[in-house]
Amino acid sequence: MHLSLLIILSILLMIACWQDYREFRIKNKLVVTGAILGIALNTFFATETGFLNALAGLGLGLLLLLPFYLLRIMGAGDVKLLAMVGAFVGQQAIFEVFLYTLIAGGFLALFFSLWQGALRKMIDNVVLMCLLALSAKKSEILGGNFSFAVEASASAGKLPYALAITTGTGVALALQYL
Protein backbone atom coordinates (compact mmCIF):
# COMPACT_ATOMS: atom_id res chain seq x y z
CA MET A 1 0.00 0.00 0.00
CA HIS A 2 1.32 3.41 -0.96
CA LEU A 3 2.32 5.51 2.09
CA SER A 4 -0.07 8.35 1.22
CA LEU A 5 -2.99 5.90 1.07
CA LEU A 6 -2.01 4.50 4.44
CA ILE A 7 -1.84 7.96 6.00
CA ILE A 8 -5.21 9.03 4.56
CA LEU A 9 -6.86 5.75 5.61
CA SER A 10 -5.41 6.12 9.12
CA ILE A 11 -6.77 9.67 9.45
CA LEU A 12 -10.22 8.62 8.22
CA LEU A 13 -10.31 5.69 10.63
CA MET A 14 -9.27 7.88 13.57
CA ILE A 15 -12.07 10.33 12.74
CA ALA A 16 -14.53 7.44 12.49
CA CYS A 17 -13.41 6.11 15.87
CA TRP A 18 -13.89 9.51 17.44
CA GLN A 19 -17.36 9.95 15.92
CA ASP A 20 -18.43 6.44 16.89
CA TYR A 21 -17.11 6.73 20.43
CA ARG A 22 -18.70 10.14 21.02
CA GLU A 23 -22.01 9.70 19.19
CA PHE A 24 -22.31 5.96 18.40
CA ARG A 25 -22.67 7.09 14.82
CA ILE A 26 -20.34 7.29 11.82
CA LYS A 27 -21.31 10.05 9.45
CA ASN A 28 -22.09 9.26 5.82
CA LYS A 29 -20.02 12.22 4.69
CA LEU A 30 -16.91 10.56 6.15
CA VAL A 31 -17.43 7.09 4.66
CA VAL A 32 -18.57 8.33 1.24
CA THR A 33 -15.63 10.73 1.01
CA GLY A 34 -13.29 7.98 2.17
CA ALA A 35 -14.64 5.45 -0.32
CA ILE A 36 -14.27 7.90 -3.20
CA LEU A 37 -10.75 8.77 -2.05
CA GLY A 38 -9.80 5.10 -1.73
CA ILE A 39 -10.96 4.27 -5.24
CA ALA A 40 -9.52 7.44 -6.78
CA LEU A 41 -6.13 7.15 -5.08
CA ASN A 42 -5.80 3.47 -5.99
CA THR A 43 -6.65 4.37 -9.57
CA PHE A 44 -4.37 7.37 -10.00
CA PHE A 45 -1.39 6.20 -7.98
CA ALA A 46 -1.30 3.03 -10.06
CA THR A 47 -0.86 0.97 -6.92
CA GLU A 48 -1.05 -2.81 -6.88
CA THR A 49 -4.71 -2.44 -5.94
CA GLY A 50 -5.99 -0.44 -8.92
CA PHE A 51 -9.51 0.71 -9.78
CA LEU A 52 -11.33 -2.60 -10.22
CA ASN A 53 -9.71 -4.21 -7.20
CA ALA A 54 -10.57 -1.18 -5.04
CA LEU A 55 -14.15 -1.25 -6.30
CA ALA A 56 -14.37 -5.00 -5.56
CA GLY A 57 -12.91 -4.38 -2.08
CA LEU A 58 -15.59 -1.78 -1.43
CA GLY A 59 -18.33 -4.19 -2.49
CA LEU A 60 -16.94 -7.09 -0.50
CA GLY A 61 -16.46 -4.92 2.58
CA LEU A 62 -20.12 -3.98 2.33
CA LEU A 63 -21.25 -7.57 1.84
CA LEU A 64 -19.16 -9.03 4.67
CA LEU A 65 -20.82 -6.99 7.42
CA LEU A 66 -24.26 -6.66 5.81
CA PRO A 67 -25.65 -9.83 7.49
CA PHE A 68 -24.71 -8.38 10.90
CA TYR A 69 -26.65 -5.21 10.05
CA LEU A 70 -29.66 -7.19 8.82
CA LEU A 71 -29.66 -9.14 12.09
CA ARG A 72 -29.47 -5.80 13.96
CA ILE A 73 -26.18 -6.77 15.54
CA MET A 74 -24.41 -3.66 14.25
CA GLY A 75 -25.20 -0.33 12.70
CA ALA A 76 -25.14 0.73 9.07
CA GLY A 77 -22.21 3.07 9.70
CA ASP A 78 -20.01 0.14 10.68
CA VAL A 79 -20.94 -1.71 7.49
CA LYS A 80 -20.18 1.35 5.36
CA LEU A 81 -16.90 1.92 7.21
CA LEU A 82 -15.66 -1.57 6.34
CA ALA A 83 -16.70 -0.92 2.74
CA MET A 84 -14.62 2.27 2.80
CA VAL A 85 -11.64 0.30 4.11
CA GLY A 86 -12.17 -2.17 1.27
CA ALA A 87 -11.83 0.68 -1.23
CA PHE A 88 -8.37 1.34 0.17
CA VAL A 89 -7.08 -2.21 0.66
CA GLY A 90 -8.74 -4.07 -2.22
CA GLN A 91 -10.53 -7.36 -2.50
CA GLN A 92 -7.80 -9.71 -1.28
CA ALA A 93 -6.88 -7.80 1.87
CA ILE A 94 -10.48 -7.07 2.92
CA PHE A 95 -10.95 -10.68 4.01
CA GLU A 96 -8.00 -10.43 6.39
CA VAL A 97 -9.24 -7.07 7.65
CA PHE A 98 -12.65 -8.65 8.24
CA LEU A 99 -11.19 -11.59 10.16
CA TYR A 100 -9.05 -9.40 12.42
CA THR A 101 -11.97 -7.00 12.86
CA LEU A 102 -14.16 -9.82 14.17
CA ILE A 103 -11.42 -10.88 16.60
CA ALA A 104 -10.89 -7.29 17.76
CA GLY A 105 -14.66 -6.87 18.05
CA GLY A 106 -14.87 -9.86 20.36
CA PHE A 107 -12.21 -8.45 22.65
CA LEU A 108 -13.81 -5.01 22.48
CA ALA A 109 -17.23 -6.44 23.39
CA LEU A 110 -15.70 -8.24 26.36
CA PHE A 111 -13.90 -5.09 27.52
CA PHE A 112 -16.96 -2.82 27.15
CA SER A 113 -19.28 -5.31 28.86
CA LEU A 114 -16.86 -5.51 31.79
CA TRP A 115 -16.54 -1.73 31.86
CA GLN A 116 -20.32 -1.21 31.77
CA GLY A 117 -21.04 -4.02 34.25
CA ALA A 118 -23.00 -6.00 31.67
CA LEU A 119 -20.80 -9.08 31.30
CA ARG A 120 -23.49 -11.48 32.54
CA LYS A 121 -26.05 -10.05 30.11
CA MET A 122 -23.58 -10.37 27.22
CA ILE A 123 -22.80 -14.00 28.12
CA ASP A 124 -26.52 -14.75 28.41
CA ASN A 125 -27.14 -13.22 24.98
CA VAL A 126 -24.31 -15.22 23.39
CA VAL A 127 -25.60 -18.45 24.94
CA LEU A 128 -29.14 -17.67 23.79
CA MET A 129 -27.97 -16.94 20.22
CA CYS A 130 -26.05 -20.21 20.13
CA LEU A 131 -28.98 -22.20 21.46
CA LEU A 132 -31.43 -20.59 19.07
CA ALA A 133 -29.05 -21.25 16.19
CA LEU A 134 -29.41 -24.97 16.94
CA SER A 135 -33.07 -24.52 15.83
CA ALA A 136 -34.69 -25.93 18.94
CA LYS A 137 -37.93 -24.39 20.12
CA LYS A 138 -37.38 -21.27 22.17
CA SER A 139 -39.78 -22.38 24.89
CA GLU A 140 -37.94 -25.68 25.29
CA ILE A 141 -34.58 -23.94 25.53
CA LEU A 142 -35.53 -21.28 28.03
CA GLY A 143 -37.75 -23.35 30.30
CA GLY A 144 -37.05 -20.99 33.19
CA ASN A 145 -33.70 -22.61 34.01
CA PHE A 146 -31.52 -19.76 32.79
CA SER A 147 -30.96 -16.23 34.03
CA PHE A 148 -31.90 -14.87 30.61
CA ALA A 149 -35.42 -16.25 30.39
CA VAL A 150 -37.27 -12.97 29.81
CA GLU A 151 -34.85 -10.13 29.23
CA ALA A 152 -32.18 -11.90 27.17
CA SER A 153 -33.03 -10.21 23.91
CA ALA A 154 -32.21 -6.81 25.37
CA SER A 155 -28.85 -5.46 24.33
CA ALA A 156 -25.92 -5.62 26.70
CA GLY A 157 -24.97 -2.12 25.58
CA LYS A 158 -23.68 -0.13 22.64
CA LEU A 159 -20.25 -0.73 21.19
CA PRO A 160 -18.26 1.76 19.08
CA TYR A 161 -17.36 -0.88 16.47
CA ALA A 162 -15.21 1.58 14.50
CA LEU A 163 -12.54 0.81 17.10
CA ALA A 164 -12.65 -2.87 16.12
CA ILE A 165 -12.57 -2.05 12.40
CA THR A 166 -9.60 0.24 12.92
CA THR A 167 -7.76 -2.36 15.00
CA GLY A 168 -8.54 -5.12 12.49
CA THR A 169 -7.33 -2.96 9.62
CA GLY A 170 -4.15 -2.04 11.46
CA VAL A 171 -3.32 -5.65 12.35
CA ALA A 172 -4.04 -6.92 8.83
CA LEU A 173 -1.93 -4.22 7.19
CA ALA A 174 0.89 -4.62 9.71
CA LEU A 175 1.04 -8.36 9.13
CA GLN A 176 0.86 -7.88 5.37
CA TYR A 177 3.70 -5.40 5.16
CA LEU A 178 6.01 -6.58 7.93
Side-chain angles (χ1 to χ4, degrees):
M1 176 178 273
H2 198 275
L3 182 61
S4 58
L5 269 81
L6 184 61
I7 292 170
I8 292 170
L9 177 60
S10 298
I11 291 169
L12 290 168
L13 286 171
M14 286 189 291
I15 294 169
C17 285
W18 180 252
Q19 287 177 355
D20 203 14
Y21 182 75
R22 299 270 301 175
E23 305 169 19
F24 291 106
R25 186 178 192 291
I26 302 167
K27 296 190 169 132
N28 285 335
K29 184 189 289 186
L30 177 72
V31 292
V32 169
T33 302
I36 292 169
L37 274 171
I39 292 170
L41 292 172
N42 275 311
T43 301
F44 297 119
F45 276 130
T47 65
E48 67 273 4
T49 306
F51 174 76
L52 291 177
N53 197 354
L55 199 58
L58 182 134
L60 284 171
L62 187 69
L63 289 175
L64 288 170
L65 284 184
L66 191 58
F68 295 94
Y69 170 72
L70 294 174
L71 292 170
R72 299 189 183 273
I73 295 172
M74 75 179 40
D78 303 321
V79 176
K80 292 180 278 187
L81 184 63
L82 190 67
M84 180 199 82
V85 170
F88 277 88
V89 301
Q91 68 181 349
Q92 287 83 16
I94 194 63
F95 289 108
E96 288 180 42
V97 169
F98 175 67
L99 174 67
Y100 290 117
T101 293
L102 291 180
I103 293 168
F107 283 114
L108 191 65
L110 183 62
F111 172 77
F112 268 82
S113 64
L114 282 169
W115 185 36
Q116 295 170 347
L119 181 62
R120 181 67 193 169
K121 182 176 255 335
M122 184 191 79
I123 291 171
D124 288 348
N125 286 345
V126 170
V127 169
L128 180 63
M129 285 189 313
C130 293
L131 291 173
L132 292 176
L134 296 174
S135 67
K137 291 183 179 177
K138 188 175 182 179
S139 60
E140 292 175 9
I141 294 171
L142 297 178
N145 295 330
F146 299 102
S147 64
F148 52 81
V150 176
E151 67 279 345
S153 61
S155 175
K158 289 187 172 191
L159 181 69
Y161 207 72
L163 296 172
I165 294 171
T166 300
T167 303
T169 303
V171 169
L173 291 176
L175 291 175
Q176 185 178 9
Y177 292 105
L178 288 181

